[in-house]
Amino acid sequence: MSHAVLDPRVAPEFPKAALPVLRDTQLRKNVAHATDVIQAKRAKLVAEKKDWQELRTAAAAIRDNVLGNLGDYLEQFEERCTAAGGQVHWASDAAEARRIILDILREEQAREVIKIKTMTSAEIDLNPALKSAGVHAIETDLAELILQLGKEEPSHIVVPALHVNRSQVREIFSKSMHLEGLSDEPQALTAAARSYLRNKFLTIPTAISGANYLVAETGSVVIVESEGNGRMCLTLPRTLITLAGIEKIIPRFEDLEVMLQILARSATGERMNPYNSLWTGVTEGDGPQRFHVVLLDNGRSEILARKTERQTLRCIRCGACQNTCPVYRQTGGHAYGSVYGGPIGAILTPQLMHMEHAQSLPYASSLCGACYEVCPVKINIPEVLIELRAQVVDQDRHKTSRLFDPMYMGMRMANSVFASAGRFRAAQRLGRTALKPFTGKDGWIRSLPGLGAKWTITRDLRGLPEQSFREWWEKQGRKMP
Amino acid sequence: MTVATSSRQSILDRIRKATAAGGGTGDDELQRGYIRKGSLNEDERIALMTERLREYDAEVVESGVADLPATIAAELFAGGKKVLAAPQGLPAQWLAQGVNWRIDGNLDYAELDGVEGVVTAASAGIAESGTIVLHHGPQEGRRVLSLLPDWHLCILRASQIVQTLPEYFALYPHPPALATMLSGPSATADIEMTRIKGVHGPRFLHVVIVRDAAQTRTGATSSAGAGQAG
């Protein structure tokens, strides 16, 4: 199994990070199997929904409305949540969010916390911060538990351990839970996780969660899940801390009628997740009596300001784009060097990094558009990818290193050649002579030396023809206009 | 405190600046062209609800209103359940004889973890996705009550079943403060996408669908699983 680096600030560029994965046939098999299964289930359940396109349209409109009026909705959420007994905190960046959470934990004198799967907590590197503050975090989602005990990194936003197969899970569990003779049947492995976590649920008084939706109208929070570990964390502890990106807002309770219909179908290929939980602040006699929401910006308000890129924030983290992406399906998530991999990660990660890191990710796509087609909130991912590519190019437009970069030298040469008819014709004649020795009898070039090999190593190149159209035309005795 | 306040202000300022140019649609312009109203009659709704619940491996039986206590008792005895929890508001006639009932007032987690099951009512059913909704009122109990016991018997009245999810939301112009939607028993597919029933939530979900509207017409007789004509 690979030990991936999921910090965009230090992760290697995508093409480099992808290489070891492409050689790991077991990992590729695991990823292909999981994405095939989810895709087939999703396709079946989307097909039975006659109003699927109308639901997508409404979902995109709801999300756009949220983003266009985000300030008002956040204030409304804060007011209602506070009125219901919750406490709302605002965090400009990851460091501030970590500080807020650690302060609350210190006040609670917490030595241990139980956690529901939250990608946002991975985004802000919460677990390492908890560890250095002496707080033991226990992941309770089965996939997250596998990753935590196996010291692995998540590779998918919905099924984070999809790159790990049953015998690998067996190995991890039998070692860390001291269970000898554990079978590799998923049923037995799941039962092992159940008994491992049961007592922790019953006794640990502090929990940390993410959020799927924050309802502005009521101040409620919604979490969808399958296993019941979420319900345990949301119900049993004395104190609950919810970390949520500021874009997780939906205006009204009623909007869930759209969001819940598209989310489960897109994410796991189910008509509905086994469990959806909604709660509002604190309810006397039911669930945690201390409730904190940490609203996280961490680059989101910058994305909001950009016209083409704003749609990135419509995302509801269903992962459908990952399952369908021909690039992700080959590389899995780790090659993206971020907790957010796949097409959505390719646009979200560099933007969350203020375009200062992960600049190779917008190129990790063939622009085939499959992600746009399945996206339940209609994010035009290819459009954003192209916009970000342009920004990456613009970033080093004035760098001196560009002067001597072979690619840019070639581009400058091409610029000068294409700018003049004379130079263009001279280049054609020169090219014909120069390429002749490499051109086969069938007119194809299969191998070039030096820089040209970068092309021919993976594809053939058409040789230059004996004469150009211009030359043929002139030979016919006709005049150039 | 000042740091927190200033972060709040700076985030809101950045958002307001980013959205000042407009671009967000007003709420009134939202297109809601999706299907909101269902087209099934009550029998068809019940049949769909039953089918979907069974797809989740939930056990489903039907009952009339008058024979509901007998149906509940039969379910409990068939499951061999002797020690059961129940919310305070559960109707007294549902509490079958011969069972050691732990009525929830302030049962602690260890007690709840030790019972063999729980019986609750429901707030709504959504047939299309086989979903049961609990709003955690007196008949459904607090959230932990239907979470810790491994076996959950849920009493759902036919008149509470809607076909589509939007129909459920239309029923509640005043949103509940708490809601749990159950679509089958706890499950995971995290290991090789193999669906495994029962991770942390109750592993067994039994549902009694009570034909409360049909009861007056048919004279309170009904049998488990049999669809009634008109």
Side-chain angles (χ1 to χ4, degrees), chain A residues 167-179:
Chain A
S167 66
Q168 294 164 329
V169 175
R170 193 202 71 83
E171 229 168 87
I172 294 169
F173 277 12
S174 64
K175 206 159 119 197
S176 48
M177 298 178 189
H178 309 292
L179 297 170

Side-chain angles (χ1 to χ4, degrees), chain A residues 292-317:
Chain A
H292 301 265
V293 180
V294 182
L295 298 171
L296 175 74
D297 183 341
N298 203 28
R300 287 162 173 81
S301 57
E302 277 174 49
I303 303 176
L304 191 67
R306 299 197 201 99
K307 191 167 160 276
T308 308
E309 296 96 306
R310 180 187 283 186
Q311 57 186 318
T312 311
L313 297 175
R314 282 188 207 149
C315 178
I316 54 170
R317 308 284 189 268

Side-chain angles (χ1 to χ4, degrees), chain A residues 23-24 34 46 54 60 68 78 85 147 151 172 232 261 276-277 280 311 382 385 390 399 409 421 424 435:
Chain A
R23 291 194 198 103
D24 187 340
V46 163
E54 287 79 8
E78 181 188 38
L147 298 178
K151 299 191 170 53
I172 294 169
M232 294 278 180
Q261 288 201 74
N276 299 335
S277 293
T280 314
Q311 57 186 318
L385 283 168
K399 280 187 193 155
M409 281 165 69
F424 185 72
L435 290 176

Side-chain angles (χ1 to χ4, degrees), chain A residues 157 312 315 317 319 321-322 340-349 379 381:
Chain A
I157 55 178
T312 311
C315 178
R317 308 284 189 268
C321 61
Q322 304 188 317
Y340 304 116
I344 186 64
I347 61 172
L348 182 60
T349 302
I379 302 172
I381 294 178

Side-chain angles (χ1 to χ4, degrees), chain A residues 341-405:
Chain A
I344 186 64
I347 61 172
L348 182 60
T349 302
Q351 295 188 78
L352 289 178
M353 290 285 120
H354 315 285
M355 297 305 288
E356 285 161 12
H357 302 282
Q359 288 100 331
S360 66
L361 290 189
Y363 293 92
S365 164
S366 64
L367 300 177
C368 74
C371 46
Y372 182 24
E373 207 172 295
V374 297
C375 178
V377 288
K378 290 191 177 174
I379 302 172
N380 190 337
I381 294 178
E383 183 185 48
V384 182
L385 283 168
I386 290 169
E387 172 61 33
L388 296 182
R389 286 181 187 187
Q391 288 178 23
V392 171
V393 172
D394 282 344
Q395 277 183 348
D396 50 16
R397 189 175 288 283
H398 302 294
K399 280 187 193 155
T400 40
S401 59
R402 261 181 60 143
L403 280 174
F404 307 104
D405 182 297

